Amino acid sequence: MVIIFDRQLLLFVVVKLVFWVLIIEYPNAVKGLPQVSAMFVFGDSLADNGNNNYINSMARSNYYPYGCDYNRGPTGRFSNGKNFVDILGDLLGIVAPPPFADPSTSGARLLGGVNYASAAAGILDETGQHYGDRYPMSQQVLNFESNLSQLRNMMSGQNLTKYLSKSIAVVVFGSNDYINNYLLPSLYTSSYNYNPSQFANLLLNHYARLLVALYNVGLRRFFLAGIGALGCIPNQLATGQATPGRCVDYVNQILGFFNEGLRRLVDIMNNGGHPGAMFVYGNSYAAIGDILNNPARYGFSVWDRGCCGIGRNQGQITCLPFVTPCFNRKQYVFWDAFHPTEDVCTILAQRAYSGPPSDCYPMNVQQLALINY
Ligand SMILES: *[C@@H]1O[C@H](CO)[C@@H](O)[C@H](O)[C@H]1NC(C)=O
Ligand SMILES: *[C@@H]1O[C@H](CO)[C@@H](O)[C@H](O)[C@H]1NC(C)=O
């Protein structure tokens, strides 16, 4: 009896020791192994994690109170805390990649991927130009292509092919083509000639061409985020075009053409001409719509005002340096005039990662990462 007891005690101590050694030495063994080799991010301010800090742009967020709930403080993320891409990275077991424009993003730091996203940028090159410089979608693709040569120096051709095919491309574009282009016809006169359906097709033609370019240089797993309910963001509510208690329906209607087209594009890309690749559509519109229709279910009580902003709906002027943000950030859907809070980003990322096909079509990001080519 005594011997057995001692053995059990010994076993218990050994198991505990092994457990702690694993946690300390191999945090991934406990947290979950990385499910992709790298993440390459293309997008706008919903994904930017500091690129605009380095360029001549008015669209920046590297000042307090941005980052007030983030352990590294203000970084150029347009959130009180983490953004959507950070949280998606956490779920995939990887550290979300560093910003392209940061000079320290070089050498081995490229290996986990790079974030090319730029606030105010769009699918169209001219989108967001009244904010100053930005990297539009086409430039982000070129920047990725030019960095591929660095990776070629670090890996053999065969290894690079495998590495790219095990990487995920996260693409978050389209919001600015509406709020900082199509919906500002006095500043963007060339878009004025298109009706909403034609404009969505214009965007989708550019988008498809750039996706093919990324496929042609070796990326194989694509998450394409649809546009959220822009008619409900504080910036649009502040225009006074919404019936009280409602969103600007017209805005939500016109971006529906883009979202429907992007979902069709996913089918087209998956059904022909792109062997060994999978494209998935993230239904951001449905996810944010669910939150706005049922805020209490998610613990939110304020959905018609930014937590940090000035004027009507705290959305006429977005979050400026040293504006005092709301105190109860966990109750807010929107952080500033344009962007959701970290808690909303968490819900969006979870739904993209593990949601049903109504959230992420035709499969979710977890399944996308697991496909064995
Ligand atoms: C990535 O490409 C850009 C543009 O060509 C270049 O300036 C930068 O040095 C590259 N970075 C790395 C790490 O290759
Ligand atoms: C390719 O990858 C294998 C396995 O990771 C490694 O042993 C080999 O050195 C790599 N080859 C080159 C040229 O990078």
Side-chain angles (χ1 to χ4, degrees):
M1 280 305 273
V2 170
I3 290 169
I4 289 169
F5 173 80
D6 276 347
R7 266 197 196 156
Q8 282 182 339
L9 188 66
L10 189 67
L11 192 67
F12 176 77
V13 169
V14 168
V15 165
K16 262 209 110 105
L17 264 174
V18 167
F19 181 73
W20 284 113
V21 167
L22 272 178
I23 288 192
I24 293 159
E25 297 290 319
Y26 302 100
N28 282 339
V30 176
K31 247 175 59 188
L33 286 167
Q35 294 153 48
V36 290
S37 54
M39 183 192 257
F40 293 96
V41 181
F42 306 90
D44 54 29
S45 56
L46 294 165
D48 190 347
N49 64 349
N51 285 308
N52 276 32
N53 302 349
Y54 297 92
I55 60 181
N56 185 13
S57 168
M58 289 189 293
R60 44 172 84 231
S61 62
N62 53 345
Y63 53 80
Y64 184 87
Y66 284 97
C68 60
D69 297 316
Y70 189 54
N71 57 15
R72 288 162 54 202
T75 54
R77 284 166 172 79
F78 289 77
S79 170
N80 55 311
K82 292 181 175 184
N83 66 21
F84 171 81
V85 173
D86 293 318
I87 300 161
L88 196 61
D90 289 344
L91 293 169
L92 284 164
I94 60 170
V95 177
F100 158 82
D102 181 340
S104 71
T105 304
S106 66
R109 281 200 80 203
L110 282 179
L111 285 173
V114 179
N115 185 328
Y116 297 93
S118 170
I123 299 165
L124 301 181
D125 288 352
E126 68 268 27
T127 288
Q129 67 192 0
H130 66 288
Y131 280 101
D133 292 346
R134 67 246 167 264
Y135 299 109
M137 188 177 187
S138 58
Q139 186 62 47
Q140 291 183 29
V141 170
L142 288 176
N143 290 341
F144 170 69
E145 288 172 356
S146 71
N147 291 164
L148 268 184
S149 54
Q150 297 283 313
L151 289 168
R152 274 189 204 105
N153 294 337
M154 286 187 254
M155 283 177 239
S156 68
Q158 221 181 3
N159 285 6
L160 180 63
T161 303
K162 185 141 190 254
Y163 162 88
L164 290 175
S165 80
K166 291 234 40 140
S167 298
I168 185 168
V170 174
V171 187
V172 184
F173 268 113
S175 299
N176 286 316
D177 297 287
Y178 286 92
I179 49 179
N180 289 313
N181 184 333
Y182 195 67
L183 293 168
L184 299 175
S186 57
L187 292 177
Y188 294 87
T189 48
S190 65
S191 301
Y192 195 62
N193 302 317
Y194 299 92
N195 70 30
S197 158
Q198 290 166 337
F199 185 67
N201 283 335
L202 176 74
L203 298 181
L204 290 162
N205 286 338
H206 279 258
Y207 198 116
R209 211 160 27 80
L210 293 166
L211 281 186
V212 170
L214 294 175
Y215 174 85
N216 285 342
V217 292
L219 289 175
R220 291 293 179 266
R221 292 164 212 259
F222 295 85
F223 170 81
L224 314 178
I227 304 179
L230 295 180
C232 306
I233 65 176
N235 158 271
Q236 290 297 305
L237 297 181
T239 62
Q241 292 172 59
T243 324
R246 290 197 54 97
C247 301
V248 186
D249 291 333
Y250 167 72
V251 171
N252 286 341
Q253 274 160 21
I254 60 172
L255 60 87
F257 289 100
F258 176 85
N259 283 340
E260 283 159 28
L262 188 59
R263 193 176 182 282
R264 273 197 305 275
L265 181 62
V266 155
D267 280 333
I268 294 168
M269 299 295 283
N270 288 334
N271 290 337
H274 310 98
M278 177 56 71
F279 298 80
V280 306
Y281 165 69
N283 195 351
S284 323
Y285 189 92
I288 195 92
D290 184 29
I291 293 169
L292 291 169
N293 285 327
N294 309 288
R297 186 192 296 163
Y298 296 96
F300 299 117
S301 57
V302 187
W303 58 270
D304 60 348
R305 264 169 289 155
C307 167
C308 182
I310 298 169
R312 197 190 293 158
N313 299 89
Q314 264 100 296
Q316 275 176 309
I317 298 173
T318 197
C319 191
L320 294 177
F322 299 104
V323 165
T324 306
C326 68
F327 171 71
N328 47 343
R329 294 184 279 280
K330 293 214 158 288
Q331 289 169 25
Y332 277 67
V333 173
F334 293 103
W335 158 246
D336 66 9
F338 301 96
H339 306 97
T341 53
E342 178 187 55
D343 284 35
V344 169
C345 291
T346 302
I347 296 166
L348 296 178
Q350 282 167 343
R351 290 179 79 146
Y353 182 72
S354 54
S358 53
D359 282 339
C360 198
Y361 170 85
M363 63 175 66
N364 60 40
V365 170
Q366 185 173 31
Q367 293 163 329
L368 177 68
L370 283 172
I371 301 176
N372 216 339
Y373 291 129

